[in-house]
Amino acid sequence: EAGVVQSPRYKIIEKKQPVAFWCNPISGHNTLYWYLQNLGQGPELLIRYENEEAVDDSQLPKDRFSAERLKGVDSTLKIQPAELGDSAVYLCASSGGIEDTQYFGPGTRLTVL
Amino acid sequence: AQSVSQHNHHVILSEAASLELGCNYSYGGTVNLFWYVQYPGQHLQLLLKYFSGDPLVKGIKGFEAEFIKSKFSFNLRKPSVQWSDTAEYFCAVPSGTYKYIFGTGTRLKVLA
């Protein structure tokens, strides 16, 4: 069974540029999460989807971050414009239900110069 | 706000030593508790989880964790570590209904 797929794995951009991350969850998983992980810290939830509905986006900085999950499968997380402080690893995870185990992708390491 | 605390940030052990990593949380409701592990160069994966029943749960690779409700703790243990256990370990606990927060992680290094 294929795991959670994320792309790109690495991204280097200059500040004020836009960037987008893509996630394909495990087939059949209705719940999808985007996390941000800073060096030396645990993952911090940005947004959670149940199918195509964003049910928890309280931690998403909505002035520059946006996300979508069209058709309730793939998801895209966008930052526009990126700031130096956005340098981090962006993780996507999926689960079969909101109380189920989360399966993580490899993450996208973003560096903003 | 709900919180989670992993007290040990860095742990260095020799092979065959015993391991215990602490995880304490503040959420007072029904708890589903998790330990995740991230091996070098790999992504986060589930080590073990507690949903209900026996408070002593066993996971992969000889790890176990004990849920002590009165202490709001879910400590991870392994009687004898191996070099291959070198990794970063995260506990995840509820912060509300269907919401989880992750600890800051414990980086374990096992010396061969």
Side-chain angles (χ1 to χ4, degrees):
Chain A
E1 179 183 280
V4 175
V5 179
Q6 289 187 249
S7 69
R9 292 293 309 279
Y10 304 91
K11 189 73 176 179
I12 301 174
I13 61 172
E14 295 188 344
K15 62 181 181 182
K16 301 185 181 179
Q17 294 299 306
V19 65
F21 315 123
W22 176 80
C23 173
N24 181 245
I26 291 174
S27 177
H29 280 189
N30 297 326
T31 307
L32 184 146
Y33 309 79
W34 281 104
Y35 289 92
L36 177 152
Q37 186 175 19
N38 287 303
L39 191 63
Q41 301 293 318
E44 299 173 34
L45 181 68
L46 290 171
I47 189 169
R48 173 169 65 90
Y49 281 93
E50 292 297 330
N51 298 303
E52 65 273 13
E53 183 182 359
V55 295
D56 185 354
D57 63 355
S58 57
Q59 300 293 99
L60 191 71
K62 297 181 183 63
D63 57 334
R64 297 184 301 108
F65 286 64
S66 64
E68 60 182 13
R69 191 184 184 196
L70 300 176
K71 301 181 181 179
V73 182
D74 295 4
S75 178
T76 302
L77 178 69
K78 297 178 182 178
I79 309 175
Q80 183 170 11
E83 297 179 352
L84 294 175
D86 296 332
S87 295
V89 176
Y90 291 83
L91 298 169
C92 178
S94 70
S95 72
I98 45 183
E99 293 188 323
D100 205 349
T101 301
Q102 296 180 44
Y103 294 86
F104 284 83
T108 297
R109 184 176 297 275
L110 174 68
T111 301
V112 182
L113 304 176
Chain B
Q2 305 301 329
S3 65
V4 58
S5 177
Q6 289 187 242
H7 313 294
N8 319 97
H9 298 294
H10 293 89
V11 174
I12 301 176
L13 296 173
S14 298
E15 276 195 314
S18 64
L19 171 72
E20 180 160 4
L21 302 181
C23 175
N24 287 89
Y25 59 93
S26 62
Y27 185 69
T30 301
V31 290
N32 298 325
L33 304 167
F34 303 82
W35 276 97
Y36 286 85
V37 61
Q38 188 166 24
Y39 297 103
Q42 298 186 27
H43 53 272
L44 274 165
Q45 57 187 285
L46 180 71
L47 195 58
L48 50 79
K49 61 184 177 183
Y50 170 80
F51 278 10
S52 64
D54 188 344
L56 184 63
V57 294
K58 296 190 183 298
I60 60 171
K61 302 185 180 185
F63 284 89
E64 64 181 30
E66 185 175 14
F67 168 52
I68 302 179
K69 188 175 181 179
S70 61
K71 294 185 177 180
F72 294 86
S73 70
F74 189 54
N75 291 354
L76 181 71
R77 300 196 293 247
K78 185 171 184 178
S80 176
V81 295
Q82 300 174 308
W83 178 80
S84 58
D85 294 324
T86 294
E88 192 157 16
Y89 295 81
F90 297 91
C91 68
V93 305
S95 65
T97 305
Y98 308 139
K99 295 180 66 149
Y100 296 89
I101 55 173
F102 285 76
T104 53
T106 296
R107 190 160 290 184
L108 171 67
K109 183 172 184 177
V110 180
L111 304 175

